[in-house]
Amino acid sequence: MDKNSKIVIIGAGIFGLSTAAQLASEGHRNILVLDRHVPPVPDGSSSDISRVIRFDYADDDYLRIAHEAYLKWQQSAKYKGIFYSAPYILTGNTSEHGQSWIKKTTAALTQRNLPWQKIDDAAEAKKKYPVLSGALAGGSNFFGYDNQQAGWADASKAVSQLRDDCIELGVSFISGRAGTVVALDTDPNKKITAVRTLAGTSVEGDHFILTAGAWSAGLVPMYHSTLATAQAVGYVRLSESEMQKYADLPIYANFSTGWFNFPPHEESKMLKMAVHGWGYTRTPNREEQRAMGKHADSSPPMIPPRERRNFAPVEAEQRLRQGLCEILPELGDRPFDRVALCWYTDTPTGDFIMDFHPDYANLFIGGAGSGHAFKFLPVLGEYMSLALKKTLPSQLAQKWRFRKDYATQEDAFVGDGSRGGPIRRELHTQERAKL
Ligand SMILES: Cc1cc2nc3c(=O)[nH]c(=O)nc-3n(C[C@H](O)[C@H](O)[C@H](O)COP(=O)(O)OP(=O)(O)OC[C@H]3O[C@@H](n4cnc5c(N)ncnc54)[C@H](O)[C@@H]3O)c2cc1C
Ligand SMILES: *[C@@H]1O[C@H](CO)[C@@H](O)[C@H](O)[C@H]1NC(C)=O
Ligand SMILES: *[C@@H]1O[C@H](CO)[C@@H](O)[C@H](O)[C@H]1NC(C)=O
């Protein structure tokens, strides 16, 4: 790519912003980022008070890259006040399903000489972390370990910093209706010449990079290789004394339900929890289909961008509460300050996509975070840039390739082995109205 050619990036989440910053630092002089809203985008998947940072992966590629990213989060002065260290406890139940993912993950850590500590039962977990007052799995029905090298990041702060890096590097932004892409104009050679926006304007470019997260499938055919799924998050407000009491709360993840928590967030005084599960789908409504084409099987609401609504399906809220009761029963009947749904862009294997779109001559796709991409923020742009130049190591190019082979598969979304809980379902009409 010519350093003066115009690169248009659609979507200012971590995929789009990290790519913009990387390309600008490599000397590209004409980069424009479009988004529905100024980043951090309130309903974008990269925005919230927290995201877990860990390198516990069963897959050695993700483990290695996540470790590389973790060292940056932990050591770089840049992430001071954004990244916080915290131990990470991974548990499943003693069933086959509960054990297999954890066994594979610990084997992968051992292979790389990275330390982890087995926890034999709930009593041992409680002894090591006295703040965990709950029954946990109870008795000996406990299978898990902890990793002291983990933590969490203030996601919206990290995104704000990345946005500012982009601005300092000379990247331009258009947000709002004039930054909201509704269609792609192509020439007879399948080259995109411009994108059209909700404001009726047209934005020309030489290269286009689509990093629109859960909304991407609304703009181009994804051949059923991605599925946008909504996942539940809950926030409990803590008092000053509770903030102190729970200051050393570890991250506790129960992989048989997908429930996990974050340590308290100092500025907001929130104790946050979420369910990493199969989630909910939302078929785009008629208006959205008319505006965006009929590509997406599921999509978050398109307009207007706004704070996530205080809503989660009833059973999702129950699951959030049940997990809380298992580790901190004294907070079990505390009302949620708010609950919300946050969007994953899942792939059948849990792998990201960083590849050129097969239907266009100059469109690159980056994303499909599958609920676990945030932690890669410090290194994501480098991998996106390698993929753009087609110089990724071959096994990564293979892993992150654009796949058309799911197009004919009825339901390929079986996940990477890390999801728990009830199967995915479509949101009801009454639920959709509350989003
Ligand atoms: C509840 C939840 C918990 C998570 N927890 C973790 C975690 O603990 N650890 C971890 O590593 N990862 C986690 N993740 C995953 C991680 O946050 C995501 O993988 C990542 O943020 C996705 O980034 P993105 O850039 O692809 O998407 P986004 O941040 O959503 O960015 C896409 C952007 O595109 C814009 N856009 C959409 N359509 C258009 C359009 N037509 N025109 C212009 N702009 C458009 C949107 O406004 C949006 O800003 C979690 C995700 C969720 C939802
Ligand atoms: C493990 O968890 C699953 C899902 O929650 C449950 O169906 C199963 O009974 C549990 N098994 C054990 C041994 O606890
Ligand atoms: C995980 O959650 C399930 C269902 O709530 C529970 O039965 C099990 O004891 C939990 N396991 C651990 C290790 O906390």
Side-chain angles (χ1 to χ4, degrees), residues 11-13 17 33-44 47 156 159-160 163-164 167 173-177 179-180 305-307:
L17 292 175
V33 177
L34 306 176
D35 201 299
R36 299 157 55 245
H37 192 281
V38 178
V41 177
D43 56 357
S47 309
S156 291
V159 166
S160 298
R163 172 203 62 207
D164 292 347
I167 293 169
F173 286 83
I174 302 179
S175 336
R177 293 170 69 84
T180 304
R306 58 179 170 221
E307 292 295 330

Side-chain angles (χ1 to χ4, degrees), residues 234-269:
Y235 308 80
V236 164
R237 186 176 291 281
L238 299 180
S239 66
E240 271 315 325
S241 62
E242 287 168 338
M243 284 299 293
Q244 300 205 341
K245 177 176 174 193
Y246 298 117
D248 295 325
L249 188 68
I251 301 163
Y252 187 92
N254 181 342
F255 276 93
S256 67
T257 58
W259 189 93
F260 66 100
N261 71 286
F262 293 82
H265 183 259
E266 184 57 48
E267 273 172 47
S268 65
K269 313 287 178 218

